[in-house]
Amino acid sequence: MKFSRFELETIDIKPLANAISSQMDRSYVNETDEMIIIASETYKLRTNSTQMNMVIVKKVNSKSYVDIIGAAGGTGILNISLWAESGFVRSTLKQLEEYCSLHGIRYTKQEMKGY
């Protein structure tokens, strides 16, 4: 499993979640005023496995937190990772960076303790 967490200086989570999940299939969406969970499962031919991708956007006081998770991407041919999970995290991070740059939102990467 590969994951990253970011703290953003915004509370407008709906357009943020839509922007950073625009490349996902959005098989599952659960949305409240405080949190949005978006998940998809995709088959990865190069690793011959199915991968679960998730974006979780949570509003806490005057900030938002984004978790980007790629899991169960398999190990691929000859037990070589082929970077399926980290590839999802990197591509979603790129969308997050573009959205924040376009809207003037500052963000910082958070350390995830206990994982």
Side-chain angles (χ1 to χ4, degrees), residues 53-70:
N53 298 318
M54 293 184 70
V55 171
I56 302 168
V57 182
K58 184 176 182 180
K59 180 172 40 174
V60 178
N61 299 324
S62 63
K63 298 186 185 273
S64 296
Y65 295 88
V66 174
D67 289 351
I68 304 169
I69 305 164

